[in-house]
Amino acid sequence: MVIVRRRLKGILPYRAVYFPTESTVRETVANLSPTTLARLFFTPLKVDHGRCLISKYVTTTVCLDLYKSLEALWGATDATCRRQVRRAEKINGRFTIERNSARAERDFLVMLNDLADLKEGVSSISSRMLTLLEGSVDVFMLYLDGQPNCGHIFLRDAEAGRVRLLHSANRRLQEPEKARLCADLNRFLHWHEVRVYRDDGFHLYDFGGINEDRTDGIARFKMSFGGDLLQEYTYLCAGFPWVGRAVKGVSEFCTSRGRQWRARTHRPT
């Protein structure tokens, strides 16, 4: 279980709990302190009622079982996935991979925020968010010919033996002439991480969620690694439910306005 505590707008106590235990879920939906908001991410436990429960979301993700052998994991990938990883392996001398270096963190934030400016639905993050998650995140960055090419941020829960992809970024849109190469390297980076986490003793590699449309490009990419579909729940709770509903409404309004602003500012002229 990973817990992040902060104050919304510097005032309202808020905590995000990732992979909560069953006892944590039941206690939070029933008995949260009055002024506190909490969001419980990714639990298999279904709860329909609770004094503090504001909303419930169903999420689906793709997970690889790292208890399996590398041969079994590789064999479960589809032909396109294997082909792209092998193409990347052929240029192994041109790229390096860094994990949790100061350079990797800095370059990933720049890359992700640049991508958010270009692509609808991509959320930017700040270094402060990484600081809040310090000790529970891994940043991987692949450098091609010394330049940042693609990277991933994972949430890591050693107790649960699980890692979950939080953010992914690459330079495919900034460098369209290298789009195929970037796709190959991104595949290779995932395969590299699978091996790293398996060696580290983790048993679940979580690709970070897919939407209901299984033909969506992101969904097809994640499922091409041959994992199992896992359905889970995320809950929003508040000690004073009316406060939670008000905050939820304001957050959704601001998110909608932000999307409209990005659509206007990045509309072709």
Side-chain angles (χ1 to χ4, degrees):
M1 187 164 63
V2 176
I3 303 175
V4 178
R5 292 183 172 87
R6 61 189 179 95
R7 289 183 176 271
L8 297 179
K9 301 299 181 182
I11 301 172
L12 199 62
Y14 169 81
R15 67 173 181 259
V17 184
Y18 298 88
F19 321 124
T21 62
E22 180 175 333
S23 60
T24 298
V25 174
R26 296 193 184 281
E27 174 66 20
T28 303
V29 301
N31 188 30
L32 194 61
S33 60
T35 59
T36 300
L37 271 73
R39 197 179 292 272
L40 310 174
F41 291 92
F42 319 131
T43 170
L45 183 65
K46 183 179 180 181
V47 178
D48 293 317
H49 304 287
R51 182 185 67 82
C52 303
L53 183 60
I54 302 299
S55 57
K56 174 178 66 177
Y57 309 90
V58 181
T59 59
T60 302
T61 189
V62 180
C63 292
L64 301 183
D65 180 0
L66 300 186
Y67 282 139
K68 294 181 179 180
S69 67
L70 283 177
E71 292 76 12
L73 290 167
W74 179 252
T77 61
D78 70 16
T80 298
C81 184
R82 292 193 294 273
R83 182 170 60 252
Q84 288 186 292
V85 171
R86 288 186 180 120
R87 280 203 303 248
E89 289 175 335
K90 291 179 180 179
I91 61 166
N92 187 40
R94 290 180 57 192
F95 65 83
T96 58
I97 297 173
E98 294 186 13
R99 177 186 185 185
N100 294 336
S101 68
R103 181 173 77 145
E105 179 179 318
R106 181 184 66 249
D107 290 341
F108 182 87
L109 290 175
V110 171
M111 182 183 295
L112 179 64
N113 295 334
D114 287 347
L115 183 62
D117 287 338
L118 295 172
K119 186 175 181 181
E120 179 69 23
V122 176
S123 299
S124 61
I125 60 172
S126 66
S127 58
R128 179 175 178 272
M129 180 56 66
L130 292 184
T131 300
L132 288 172
L133 290 168
E134 188 174 8
S136 298
V137 290
D138 285 324
V139 180
F140 289 86
M141 177 61 71
L142 185 148
Y143 293 87
L144 175 65
D145 299 328
Q147 299 300 312
N149 181 270
C150 58
H152 304 144
I153 291 183
F154 285 88
L155 183 67
R156 184 184 67 248
D157 185 349
E159 183 180 2
R162 178 174 179 174
V163 295
R164 180 180 174 95
L165 180 67
L166 292 182
H167 298 280
S168 178
N170 58 67
R171 296 194 60 79
R172 179 174 57 85
L173 296 181
Q174 290 95 329
E175 301 177 351
E177 71 280 1
K178 297 180 181 178
R180 194 185 83 160
L181 178 57
C182 189
D184 292 347
L185 293 172
N186 187 52
R187 290 266 194 188
F188 180 88
L189 182 58
H190 274 293
W191 181 243
H192 168 82
E193 292 153 353
V194 166
R195 290 178 292 174
V196 167
Y197 283 124
R198 186 177 179 278
D199 289 343
D200 286 349
F202 288 86
H203 64 82
L204 206 62
Y205 183 97
D206 180 348
F207 276 94
I210 58 175
N211 62 34
E212 294 181 359
D213 182 5
R214 302 295 189 261
T215 64
D216 171 75
I218 293 176
R220 287 189 289 108
F221 172 85
K222 294 178 179 182
M223 291 190 296
S224 72
F225 283 83
D228 299 316
L229 295 182
L230 179 64
Q231 188 176 83
E232 296 177 306
Y233 299 91
T234 290
Y235 300 103
L236 176 63
C237 304
F240 284 143
W242 67 269
V243 173
R245 293 188 185 96
V247 171
K248 179 174 179 287
V250 171
S251 176
E252 290 174 349
F253 174 79
C254 292
T255 299
S256 175
R257 290 296 297 271
R259 287 172 179 166
Q260 294 172 9
W261 178 83
R262 285 195 297 272
R264 289 196 302 269
T265 55
H266 295 99
R267 184 180 295 124
T269 59

